Amino acid sequence: MPFSELIAQDRAVSSLRSALRRGALHHAYLFGGPEGVGKATAARLLAQAANCEVPAPAGGLRDDACGACAPCRKIARGVHPDVLLLQEERVMAKAGRWDPKGGRTPSKDIVVDQVRDVVDRRLAMKRFEGRRRFVILDPADAMNPQAQNALLKTLEEPPEATTLVLVAASPDALLPTIRSRCLRVPFAPLPAAAVAARLEAGGRPAAEARLAAALAGGSLSRALALDAETLAAERDAVLAAATLDPGDAAAWLAFARDHGDDREAAAELCALLAVWLRDVLAAQAGAADVALGDLADATRRAAAALAPAEVLRRREEVQTTAAALRQNASPTLALERMLIAWFHGRG
Ligand SMILES: [Zn+2]
């Protein structure tokens, strides 16, 4: 059952499968939700299920793909002539699937020429072999306004037996006229436990999988991209923060300097510190299960040494720091401010 490839998206999957069973696919979907939670995979699975050649068991319509017949395999390999994928111009140019007009440098957007090529040329042709044609725009929020306007007419008057799937991490960045013509299917961030389980199933050690899941903020693709070295460095940084001596200002100012030279690393440190402080609160509440098993000793020590209200206060300071980092605060100063607030009350 290929839809089982998706983890923790039961609501989205059940609405799509129900439309397949009823033979009532919408002509345009907007799959919205964070990066790396299965939106593009769901778009591909939908195209497979709608074009799968294996008959449904009870003679009705299939609500899932077999994954093994010729159309299923062609769609998985991206070579089915009736399943078109539209990506950023420079991504498609690099893959040899598109030549920008006039030999100009490919754009980081999906541009109007690409949309016109699909709607005026490709969709004007007969279907080749599929039962239903799909156009998957991934990421649809990479369409610039001209490209979006070029797509409007097709969304209003779709060709028969055609479904457009717009995949977007920021659906609200699309023009309202585009959004209102699509059926929105929301995709949720993935629970950390589900991400960790998937990484473990792929062979990552348990402690590393849980650490990556905690850092990835509900995105499987981000978790997959975190290597063991990065994870070990982040874990050591949390351990160093956990064992800072409140009386040794020179040590914590040095810590802020050491971890403040890279904004992204500082933001990751804050994300992990927040998860760790939640573990400390859980340990204080008597929970046996913690997200960061590697740091269990430090967690126990902090749980015994700090009052729960103090742990909560420190966690709020971490979240304030994470927000400041998103708004371009200097990473070193933001971390300094956080530690001053931790160790000297409100900073
Ligand atoms: Zn099939």
Side-chain angles (χ1 to χ4, degrees):
M1 299 297 265
F3 268 121
S4 62
E5 274 180 45
L6 291 171
I7 50 177
Q9 298 297 357
D10 299 349
R11 268 185 60 189
V13 168
S14 79
S15 77
L16 295 174
R17 293 184 69 173
S18 145
L20 284 162
R21 266 194 308 278
R22 289 180 286 115
L25 281 187
H26 206 264
H27 68 273
Y29 289 98
L30 174 53
F31 289 3
E35 298 285 352
V37 300
K39 302 183 300 299
T41 304
R44 190 247 305 156
L45 291 168
L46 186 66
Q48 284 180 315
N51 285 294
C52 182
E53 269 178 356
V54 177
L61 290 164
R62 285 196 71 91
D63 68 353
D64 201 351
C66 78
C69 69
C72 279
R73 279 184 288 127
K74 278 189 184 172
I75 293 167
R77 282 169 35 230
V79 296
H80 194 294
D82 293 314
V83 178
L84 313 174
L85 175 63
L86 204 49
Q87 294 175 288
E88 300 96 322
E89 187 171 50
R90 78 177 164 203
V91 172
M92 290 184 67
K94 200 169 166 202
R97 294 188 292 120
W98 173 255
D99 275 325
K101 290 223 172 89
R104 60 182 169 73
T105 311
S107 163
K108 65 177 184 8
D109 295 335
I110 294 176
V111 299
V112 66
D113 287 347
Q114 291 173 277
V115 173
R116 289 213 180 107
D117 180 63
V118 166
V119 301
D120 295 345
R121 193 175 67 84
R122 308 283 295 268
L123 291 184
M125 294 181 209
K126 277 212 171 76
R127 265 176 291 141
F128 290 89
E129 54 190 70
R131 280 198 307 276
R132 191 167 187 91
R133 183 150 49 188
F134 281 80
V135 181
I136 300 170
L137 294 107
D138 176 24
D141 39 359
M143 276 188 289
N144 61 30
Q146 295 91 318
Q148 293 184 51
N149 281 320
L151 190 66
L152 267 182
K153 196 165 160 290
T154 307
L155 287 174
E156 272 163 10
E157 299 163 33
E160 58 96 29
T162 299
T163 288
L164 279 75
V165 184
L166 282 66
V167 171
S170 307
D172 293 330
L174 292 165
L175 297 173
T177 43
I178 295 276
R179 290 200 306 267
S180 65
R181 283 165 177 79
C182 297
L183 184 66
R184 189 114 157 208
V185 181
F187 283 70
L190 304 176
V195 173
R198 182 53 69 99
L199 294 182
E200 264 192 80
R204 301 280 283 268
E208 194 182 303
R210 299 183 86 171
L211 194 61
L215 258 180
S219 162
L220 180 61
S221 61
R222 210 176 305 152
L224 286 167
L226 288 164
D227 59 41
E229 202 180 325
T230 308
L231 289 168
E234 293 294 347
R235 185 202 52 216
D236 291 349
V238 170
L239 199 57
T243 49
L244 283 172
D245 175 359
D248 188 353
W252 32 272
L253 291 176
F255 176 91
R257 254 197 327 277
D258 290 348
H259 296 279
D261 53 1
D262 180 296
R263 176 177 306 277
E264 205 168 312
E268 282 174 356
L269 172 61
C270 286
L272 209 51
L273 271 175
V275 174
W276 176 68
L277 289 166
R278 193 173 64 212
D279 274 357
V280 174
L281 287 166
Q284 288 175 328
D289 202 31
V290 291
L292 306 176
D294 265 17
L295 300 174
D297 286 343
T299 305
R300 260 194 307 279
R301 275 197 299 274
L306 301 169
E310 173 61 13
V311 179
L312 268 177
R313 192 183 69 78
R314 290 190 184 187
R315 191 155 166 255
E316 274 168 24
E317 295 297 348
V318 170
Q319 279 153 351
T320 305
T321 308
L325 286 169
R326 280 195 297 275
Q327 281 163 15
N328 277 342
S330 140
T332 302
L333 291 179
L335 290 175
E336 271 183 17
R337 199 211 60 86
M338 178 183 84
L339 293 169
I340 292 168
W342 271 22
F343 298 135
H344 285 261
R346 306 248 163 231

